[in-house]
Amino acid sequence: MGKRRWWGKFLARGMRTGDVIPRPAHPCPCPCLTLSQSDSFMKFPKGSTYPTLSDGRRLCPECRDSAIMDDQAFKALEHEIREFYDYLGMKVHQRTIPLYLVNEQEMKESKARDGKNNVEGRRHTLVAHSRVVSIRVLYGLPRLFTGQILTHEMMHAWHVLEIDGYFNLSLEVKEGLCEVLAHTWLGSQIRSMSKSKAAPSPLFDFEKKLAKFLRHGIESRTDHPYGTGFQLVKRATDMYGLKGTLDYIRMTGGFPS
């Protein structure tokens, strides 16, 4: 299948929670369902089993091998992402951020309780009094997808602590900054895998493909505030660099035009 047709099918189906798309025969809830359906060499072996999670979602074989299922794996991923922020010179100074892996019902309940029913369905960050109270992420998603989400949410934590005028920024700028950091993290994962000398394996090949898929998903979104925010902030960081853009926001409380 040609590259343009492959990405065209992805764009047509979309990644956003709430998109109305036909449920494919393969029941995976993750974005890899589109990857696997669209890519001609990604075939599920006959007789594959799909484990059922506590909330009724089911995992495909590829997701199952890298899914974040427990707190230990989640905390290890948080540590990796904190190191990524440190490398960028953006240390997250809130040393302890309560992280929760939750099922769909728990996610709905936490959003309803905090009045956040309009945000994306796989994550929820509660901020109060210049502190991140909690980050909740849907469990059972692939490591790379969970990492993309957590990098995005950790940027909210960094904002709150490091930018005095954070609450005065537009939603588009806030979410755009988070999406740019998630996009940058995925890029670092792609580069790391391209340099890896690990022996080829189905999981390694799948993760390389999934990382590119997720990064392209961020680039191609057009919705407000995530897609429009990413495009807005990406133009600024391409022109002034990430540090220059953040320094401008810190000093002026506004966003560079």
Side-chain angles (χ1 to χ4, degrees):
M1 181 179 292
K3 182 176 181 181
R4 181 173 297 180
R5 184 181 169 198
W6 188 85
W7 287 124
K9 289 188 69 175
F10 159 68
L11 291 170
R13 294 176 64 87
M15 273 180 56
R16 300 186 303 279
T17 300
D19 281 352
V20 179
I21 58 176
R23 180 169 292 279
H26 139 46
C28 176
C30 308
C32 65
L33 67 86
T34 311
L35 178 72
S36 300
Q37 291 272 314
S38 303
D39 198 328
S40 58
F41 79 81
M42 280 280 187
K43 301 298 184 183
F44 296 111
K46 290 183 179 180
S48 295
T49 58
Y50 302 99
T52 302
L53 303 179
S54 64
D55 53 12
R57 291 176 295 130
R58 299 175 70 190
L59 289 179
C60 69
E62 281 80 5
C63 287
R64 180 183 59 205
D65 291 340
S66 71
I68 300 297
M69 300 293 291
D70 56 51
D71 291 338
Q72 183 177 355
F74 197 30
K75 291 295 291 183
L77 185 57
E78 181 207 13
H79 179 72
E80 178 184 332
I81 290 168
R82 280 182 178 272
E83 288 185 336
F84 167 73
Y85 274 88
D86 288 350
Y87 173 77
L88 294 177
M90 297 172 59
K91 186 178 181 65
V92 179
H93 288 98
Q94 184 173 328
R95 297 184 63 181
T96 302
I97 298 176
L99 301 176
Y100 301 97
L101 283 174
V102 298
N103 61 33
E104 281 191 329
Q105 184 58 36
E106 291 167 335
M107 182 71 77
K108 290 176 183 176
E109 289 173 356
S110 68
K111 288 184 176 183
R113 188 167 56 248
D114 300 326
K116 299 290 185 178
N117 290 313
N118 60 325
V119 298
E120 293 199 318
R122 297 185 179 99
R123 63 199 184 201
H124 175 42
T125 295
L126 179 60
V127 176
H129 306 296
S130 299
R131 183 176 179 81
V132 177
V133 178
S134 65
I135 295 176
R136 289 175 169 84
V137 177
L138 202 61
Y139 88 106
L141 300 175
R143 185 190 73 87
L144 286 167
F145 193 22
T146 306
Q148 173 190 335
I149 292 170
L150 192 53
T151 304
H152 177 114
E153 300 307 315
M154 290 287 282
M155 188 58 180
H156 283 301
W158 189 89
H159 284 159
V160 171
L161 294 166
E162 302 296 334
I163 299 179
D164 290 337
Y166 168 75
F167 292 101
N168 296 323
L169 294 174
S170 71
L171 183 61
E172 193 173 47
V173 170
K174 291 177 187 175
E175 297 298 347
L177 285 165
C178 293
E179 288 291 86
V180 164
L181 264 291
H183 182 269
T184 304
W185 181 78
L186 287 168
S188 73
Q189 296 293 297
I190 292 168
R191 289 190 296 275
S192 176
M193 286 186 282
S194 69
K195 296 175 182 177
S196 174
K197 296 181 180 179
S201 68
L203 176 60
F204 186 72
D205 292 342
F206 172 74
E207 288 208 314
K208 286 196 295 184
K209 200 81 172 180
L210 181 59
K212 292 178 181 179
F213 172 83
L214 292 170
R215 187 175 65 166
H216 185 83
I218 293 174
E219 295 168 351
S220 61
R221 292 184 70 161
T222 59
D223 59 323
H224 177 86
Y226 300 98
T228 56
F230 172 77
Q231 298 300 332
L232 175 69
V233 175
K234 188 67 166 62
R235 284 195 296 271
T237 56
D238 285 347
M239 185 175 297
Y240 305 112
L242 178 61
K243 184 179 184 301
T245 301
L246 293 172
D247 286 347
Y248 183 94
I249 294 171
R250 273 199 186 111
M251 290 186 294
T252 68
F255 189 74
S257 57

